[in-house]
Amino acid sequence: MRTPASEPLGPTDALVVPRFAGVRTFARLPTLEQAGRADVAVLGAPFDGATTFRPGSRFGPAGIREASLLLRPYNEPMDLSPFAESQVVDAGDAPASPVDIEGAHRAIEESAGALHASGARVLGLGGDHSVALPLVRAAAAAYGRLSLLQLDAHTDTWDSYFGAKVTHGTIFRRAAEEGAIDPHHSVQIGLRGSLYAPADLAENAELGFSTLLAREFDAAGVAGAIELALGQLRSPVYVTVDIDVLDPAFAPGTGTPEAGGLSSRELLAILRGLAGAGLDLVGADVVEVSPPYDPAGVTALAAANAAYELVGLLVLSGRS
Ligand code: MN
Ligand code: MN
């Protein structure tokens, strides 16, 4: 019988059972049921009913899990063995209705809320970006108002779309209105693409977000992005990675691709740059991976690696 004092139950040993064998969990981690407890829990949010262009991200959690098979147990840049230090588990998928945005979000919030209540930090796998709203709500309910780091081509702070207040393009305005996030200590990196009008960015700035546009990233670079993030963020912190922050060359399999984005290497470097800065990361997500548009699996691979860095940050934050 496993007890809370047990050593963490790690991933299936790839030197005993090869990586391509076995039932798919994130990074071949044990399930929550197998481990019996969690310091960090990976939670799938397979819902794409609030997307506005290309669908398919309901298959994102499965795609990311498949791409995560090659993740190894030692994070070299962080000098960290996350699965040995902490109990990291795959908590499965929230039972999100495919035809009911409100109901799906409720299911995701309940699943994430139960994990937070057990003391676990939660890493969500989307799903369209709307799933970040219930994930943020659950984290804020447990830890208080959050400072958001959003890596995204889009602001996702529109007021509505076709009259709907909750879509994957409106969630962070909703989160700000509810007080779940504090836009004045929140940062968006990678914004780009054609807009409807100048007001799109002006209204986003009025809400209080600090931004680093993709074209500004040309000069600021990874170091400038990290400097902005560390200067603005305050604990508790939530990091949301919309995979469309990457250039379509690195992430074609996504709902609303925009040319001129970051490379996978730049994204991973920004995430690693948050390590050791004393920020308390309490939740995170990687969203908008759409496997039907990802024939070579490169988008899911980038997402799996971003998720691995986020697991490392969540484990580091759990040190007390
Ligand atoms: Mn986006
Ligand atoms: Mn987004």
Side-chain angles (χ1 to χ4, degrees), residues 58 83 91 170 297:
R58 66 181 62 181
F83 312 139
T170 64

Side-chain angles (χ1 to χ4, degrees), residues 209-229:
F209 289 93
S210 298
T211 60
L212 184 68
L213 308 182
R215 60 184 170 79
E216 295 169 335
F217 185 88
D218 292 340
V222 168
I226 293 170
E227 184 181 353
L228 176 67

Side-chain angles (χ1 to χ4, degrees), residues 73-164:
Y74 177 61
N75 184 325
E76 182 274 329
M78 291 190 194
D79 187 23
L80 175 71
S81 295
F83 312 139
E85 176 169 327
S86 294
Q87 182 61 66
V88 188
V89 307
D90 190 324
D93 291 340
S97 163
V99 292
D100 175 3
I101 295 176
E102 197 177 318
H105 283 188
R106 198 180 314 120
I108 294 164
E109 186 176 348
E110 285 174 6
S111 295
L115 292 167
H116 281 297
S118 76
R121 291 161 202 264
V122 179
L123 173 65
L125 302 179
D128 70 43
H129 214 156
S130 80
V131 305
L133 183 58
L135 291 168
V136 161
R137 283 171 175 159
Y143 292 95
R145 183 185 266 203
L146 304 166
S147 192
L148 180 76
L149 174 60
Q150 179 187 356
L151 294 138
D152 201 330
H154 313 97
T155 63
D156 297 346
T157 56
W158 280 356
D159 183 50
S160 65
Y161 186 69
F162 279 74

Side-chain angles (χ1 to χ4, degrees), residues 50-57 127-130 152-156 158 161 167-169 190-194 196 242-248 251-261 287-290 293 299:
T51 200
T52 57
F53 196 54
R54 305 197 305 200
S57 64
D128 70 43
H129 214 156
S130 80
D152 201 330
H154 313 97
T155 63
D156 297 346
W158 280 356
Y161 186 69
T167 78
H168 72 156
L191 306 178
R192 65 189 188 278
S194 52
Y196 285 91
D242 183 332
I243 206 65
D244 71 27
V245 71
L246 299 181
D247 191 90
T254 194
T256 41
E258 306 284 357
V287 300
E288 295 284 354
V289 173
S290 179
Y293 290 97
T299 313

